[in-house]
Amino acid sequence: CDIKATFFVSHKYTNYSAVQDMHRQGHEIAAHSVTHNDDESFWSGASVDDWAREMSGVRLIIDKFANISDNSVVGLRAPYLRVGGNKQFTMMEEQAFLYDSSMVAPLRNPPVWPYTMDFLMPHHCQGWLQNCPTRSHGVWEMVMNELDRREDPTKGEALTGCVMVDSCSNIISGDQFYNFLNHNFYRHFDQNRAPLSLPFRAAWLKNNPEFLDTFLYWVDEVLESHPEVYFVTM
């Protein structure tokens, strides 16, 4: 199977012909808001209507400008990973979104599998002043497990994890990136095989050609040595 990824689209500066082409190739397109409002507190306190305008709004824009009209935009990620509490998840139920991927599970072994919001979250609400839901909602959470950024996990003190790959500020060389990918892959593979999410912005790879080469080499190596492993969309 070809490798596929999920791309979270916000409206600002987006090239919709490229979005259409990514969708044609089989990648998943998901919602990431219309405005990408820079005020992080806006997302924490936004109303149900605010969330609908932002997320259903960008879905309509994607439909119109990228001609993705097959009802395949079913997921969303909140800008800055600022969860909108019960209002965000109420909007998702009303607007027929199937999953959110904004909530962070703290670094732990074993990592957390995706779960439904029908029941209590299996981890505490990670992040400063986060507004996580407190009621039952009929949607999935494609949880973001924190990544272990230590260079040698067998030695030294425990460090806090990082959520986005490009936010792991201690990765400054291709070798470090390779070790980081390998360690986190086997942390998932050897324990409970929870899906390993590798979220990053494309610009990070574009601005660091060494990391792109390392990433492609690592993907080939994993697929060659583990035929039971797949790189899939959300």
Side-chain angles (χ1 to χ4, degrees), residues 15-59:
N15 174 351
Y16 284 97
S17 65
V19 173
Q20 184 177 13
D21 195 48
M22 298 300 266
H23 178 257
R24 181 186 60 77
Q25 293 177 40
H27 298 287
E28 181 189 4
I29 306 301
H32 193 48
S33 82
V34 175
T35 64
H36 207 281
N37 192 318
D38 293 338
D39 179 7
E40 293 185 24
S41 63
F42 167 79
W43 301 101
S44 299
S47 68
V48 174
D49 286 344
D50 289 334
W51 276 102
R53 277 192 291 269
E54 290 284 353
M55 296 303 178
S56 288
V58 80
R59 182 163 61 181

Side-chain angles (χ1 to χ4, degrees), residues 65-94:
F65 293 135
N67 196 29
I68 298 176
S69 53
D70 57 0
N71 298 322
S72 61
V73 181
V74 295
L76 65 84
R77 176 168 287 162
Y80 309 107
L81 305 183
R82 298 302 299 185
V83 185
N86 293 316
K87 291 176 181 175
Q88 175 193 335
F89 284 82
T90 298
M91 178 280 297
M92 291 177 64
E93 290 176 296
E94 291 176 353

Side-chain angles (χ1 to χ4, degrees), residues 14-218:
T14 289
N15 174 351
Y16 284 97
S17 65
V19 173
Q20 184 177 13
D21 195 48
M22 298 300 266
H23 178 257
R24 181 186 60 77
Q25 293 177 40
H27 298 287
E28 181 189 4
I29 306 301
H32 193 48
S33 82
V34 175
T35 64
H36 207 281
N37 192 318
D38 293 338
D39 179 7
E40 293 185 24
S41 63
F42 167 79
W43 301 101
S44 299
S47 68
V48 174
D49 286 344
D50 289 334
W51 276 102
R53 277 192 291 269
E54 290 284 353
M55 296 303 178
S56 288
V58 80
R59 182 163 61 181
L60 287 170
I61 292 169
I62 290 168
D63 183 337
K64 185 172 178 62
F65 293 135
N67 196 29
I68 298 176
S69 53
D70 57 0
N71 298 322
S72 61
V73 181
V74 295
L76 65 84
R77 176 168 287 162
Y80 309 107
L81 305 183
R82 298 302 299 185
V83 185
N86 293 316
K87 291 176 181 175
Q88 175 193 335
F89 284 82
T90 298
M91 178 280 297
M92 291 177 64
E93 290 176 296
E94 291 176 353
Q95 301 294 331
F97 281 98
L98 298 185
Y99 74 82
D100 167 71
S101 184
S102 311
M103 289 206 274
V104 178
L107 181 61
R108 59 182 263 187
N109 291 316
V112 180
W113 271 81
Y115 52 87
T116 75
M117 295 303 300
D118 294 306
F119 307 102
L120 191 66
M121 292 161 52
H123 57 85
H124 77 258
C125 189
Q126 178 83 337
W128 179 245
L129 295 177
Q130 277 286 36
N131 180 16
C132 286
T134 57
R135 296 200 305 270
S136 177
H137 298 278
V139 294
W140 278 84
E141 179 58 38
M142 302 299 284
V143 63
M144 303 175 73
N145 285 290
E146 280 194 332
L147 300 160
D148 189 341
R149 59 194 173 95
R150 291 176 296 174
E151 284 189 49
D152 186 351
T154 61
K155 300 176 186 173
E157 62 185 35
L159 297 174
T160 54
C162 47
V163 187
M164 305 288 287
V165 174
D166 49 358
S167 70
C168 301
S169 55
N170 59 319
I171 300 175
I172 55 176
S173 73
D175 286 343
Q176 286 175 315
F177 187 34
Y178 176 80
N179 292 335
F180 163 86
L181 290 168
N182 252 353
H183 166 55
N184 282 288
F185 170 74
Y186 284 108
R187 204 165 60 80
H188 286 246
F189 186 83
D190 291 340
Q191 294 191 88
N192 62 352
R193 300 206 174 178
L196 170 62
S197 174
L198 293 172
F200 48 75
R201 299 165 192 86
W204 186 69
L205 291 180
K206 184 174 174 59
N207 295 335
N208 297 281
E210 183 186 5
F211 292 168
L212 178 57
D213 291 342
T214 300
F215 186 60
L216 294 174
Y217 174 82
W218 175 78

